[in-house]
């Protein structure tokens, strides 16, 4: 992705089957949370040092888009987005469960260092062609997640309009667009591979 990263926006519960697998209600508007910019680290060839002593650590594979310019009202996705990548939204699930019960922000569960690793970027093919290709996550050689933008609850246009109106989008901002079903725990030594269609964009190991 672009070396300039200001904000890292994430969309929660944007695939209905993922919401169902965690027993969560489907939101009626985009559910947005933030990760700090230092959570966004290179995924390809990395050994990621993640917290292994704070309960269950889950992976969530996602399509990630990056703004190539500042957002203005009425702007279309194809005008705003130049590049995309695949990423993993790592989540401390036990921590998240506790803070959800207390009504606290998700920061402790989502915003730790290296919690948003990203593959190298590729050109954004345009919204008309994006649904032609699935993205997949393989864990230790086995496919565990498969996603496609056509299955999103909120489209990319709805997402950028919502974030742009409520928070603003600037050049370099990243948007993790939500994870499909199949999330699960990860442990030290696990290897993840992220594919766009048949093309592997990145591989990492959990340290």
């Amino acid at each position: 992705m672009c070396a300039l990263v200001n904000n890292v926006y994430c969309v929660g519960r944007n695939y209905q089957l993922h919401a169902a697998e965690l027993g969560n209600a489907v939101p009626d508007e985009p559910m947005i949370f933030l990760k700090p910019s230092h959570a966004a680290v290179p995924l390809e060839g990395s050994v990621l040092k993640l917290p292994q002593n704070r309960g269950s650590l889950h992976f969530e594979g996602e399509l990630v888009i990056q703004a190539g310019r500042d957002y203005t009202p009425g702007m279309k996705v194809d005008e705003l987005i130049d590049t995309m990548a695949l990423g993993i939204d790592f989540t401390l699930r036990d921590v998240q469960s506790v803070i959800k019960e207390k009504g606290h922000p998700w920061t402790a569960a989502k915003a730790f260092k290296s919690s948003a690793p990203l593959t190298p970027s590729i050109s954004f093919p345009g919204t008309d062609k994006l649904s032609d290709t699935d993205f997949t996550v393989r864990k230790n050689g086995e496919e565990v997640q498969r996603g496609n933008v056509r299955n999103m609850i909120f489209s990319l246009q709805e997402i950028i309009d919502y974030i742009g109106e409520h928070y603003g989008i600037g050049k370099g901002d990243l948007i993790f667009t939500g994870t499909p079903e199949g999330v699960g725990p990860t442990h030290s030594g696990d290897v993840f591979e992220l594919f766009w269609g048949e093309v592997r964009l990145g591989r990492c190991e959990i340290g």
Side-chain angles (χ1 to χ4, degrees), residues 1-9 37 40-44 62-68 80-88 116-124 171-177 201:
M1 304 299 283
C2 174
L4 173 65
V5 175
N6 294 318
N7 298 299
V8 183
Y9 293 108
S37 58
V41 297
L43 182 146
E44 173 58 24
E62 308 198 14
L63 173 73
V64 184
I65 54 178
Q66 186 167 41
L80 180 68
I81 305 302
D82 289 339
T83 59
M84 55 177 266
L86 301 178
I88 303 178
L118 295 151
T119 69
S121 62
I122 60 175
S123 295
F124 185 71
K171 181 178 180 179
D173 285 356
L174 301 175
I175 303 174
F176 279 67
T177 59
L201 296 186

Side-chain angles (χ1 to χ4, degrees), residues 54-109:
R54 299 181 63 193
S56 181
L57 174 68
H58 276 205
F59 62 87
E60 301 185 3
E62 308 198 14
L63 173 73
V64 184
I65 54 178
Q66 186 167 41
R69 55 197 50 79
D70 294 344
Y71 173 86
T72 57
M75 183 176 284
K76 300 300 183 184
V77 173
D78 292 349
E79 299 175 276
L80 180 68
I81 305 302
D82 289 339
T83 59
M84 55 177 266
L86 301 178
I88 303 178
D89 167 18
F90 282 108
T91 303
L92 290 166
R93 191 69 71 202
D94 291 342
V95 173
Q96 186 185 38
S97 296
V98 170
I99 60 181
K100 281 167 61 178
E101 289 178 0
K102 294 180 178 180
H104 292 175
W106 289 5
T107 305

Side-chain angles (χ1 to χ4, degrees), residues 5-57:
V5 175
N6 294 318
N7 298 299
V8 183
Y9 293 108
C10 303
V11 185
R13 304 180 194 172
N14 200 26
Y15 287 79
Q16 188 162 358
L17 291 180
H18 169 60
E21 73 179 345
L22 296 183
N24 293 320
V26 174
D28 53 15
E29 64 180 23
M31 179 182 293
I32 308 300
F33 61 94
L34 286 159
K35 288 178 180 266
S37 58
H38 60 251
V41 297
L43 182 146
E44 173 58 24
S46 297
V47 177
L48 298 175
K49 301 296 183 181
L50 300 173
Q52 300 285 346
N53 59 351
R54 299 181 63 193
S56 181
L57 174 68

